[in-house]
Amino acid sequence: MAFLKRLGFYLIGLSIGLVFLFFFLKKKSDETGVSFCYLPNCRVLKELRSKPLIYSKQVDQMVAERVLDSLTIAYFLNEGDVNFKKSITKNTTCKTYLIEGMVKEKFMALTVKNCDSTILIDDLQTID
């Protein structure tokens, strides 16, 4: 059998297998509600969502003045983009992440400190 014919059969079988796995794993993840996070941004946000939140005094004041609410914080923790260049991830006690996102037609950044057992929401800034 010629090499090109064998390669064709291999590629056809491989593509059928990949399509089968795609639909099988998608159905399995939909049933259990499990999402697969392999990229660094997704993994960091998933870890931040799994711990209890604590607000700094500045963020407490923003919540009291109705500048910031829990839905905005939830949006950042679900849909935000972690800026790893401006984040401080080398600390052993608490890693500081800068999460960016578009809120109310403004580009904003949320500063979050990821400690061992809690998350400290430290600051919210508008970025120009």
Side-chain angles (χ1 to χ4, degrees):
M1 190 181 282
F3 174 73
L4 290 177
K5 198 172 188 180
R6 285 185 296 181
L7 182 64
F9 284 133
Y10 172 77
L11 292 176
I12 289 171
L14 181 68
S15 62
I16 291 171
L18 289 176
V19 168
F20 174 74
L21 281 177
F22 174 75
F23 285 115
F24 179 73
L25 292 179
K26 182 173 174 72
K27 182 181 176 195
K28 186 175 181 178
S29 68
D30 288 342
E31 288 174 356
T32 59
V34 175
S35 63
F36 297 102
C37 289
Y38 295 111
L39 299 175
N41 188 61
C42 184
R43 292 175 68 190
V44 168
L45 292 177
K46 187 175 181 180
E47 180 183 358
L48 293 175
R49 287 190 305 263
S50 69
K51 296 179 183 178
L53 299 175
I54 299 174
Y55 298 146
S56 68
K57 292 179 182 179
Q58 182 178 4
V59 172
D60 269 338
Q61 184 179 3
M62 292 172 123
V63 170
E65 294 172 357
R66 297 184 185 254
V67 174
L68 181 63
D69 60 354
S70 61
L71 292 177
T72 305
I73 294 172
Y75 168 77
F76 276 106
L77 295 179
N78 285 316
E79 303 295 327
D81 294 320
V82 179
N83 188 339
F84 288 102
K85 290 181 182 177
K86 294 181 181 177
S87 298
I88 303 168
T89 59
K90 301 295 183 197
N91 289 351
T92 56
T93 56
C94 292
K95 297 177 182 179
T96 303
Y97 293 104
L98 188 75
I99 305 171
E100 299 173 340
M102 187 72 96
V103 178
K104 298 178 186 174
E105 309 288 325
K106 296 178 185 175
F107 194 67
M108 302 181 117
L110 184 71
T111 306
V112 176
K113 290 188 179 181
N114 183 8
C115 297
D116 291 333
S117 60
T118 60
I119 304 298
L120 176 67
I121 308 296
D122 198 30
D123 190 20
L124 179 71
Q125 313 165 26
T126 303
I127 298 176
D128 297 325

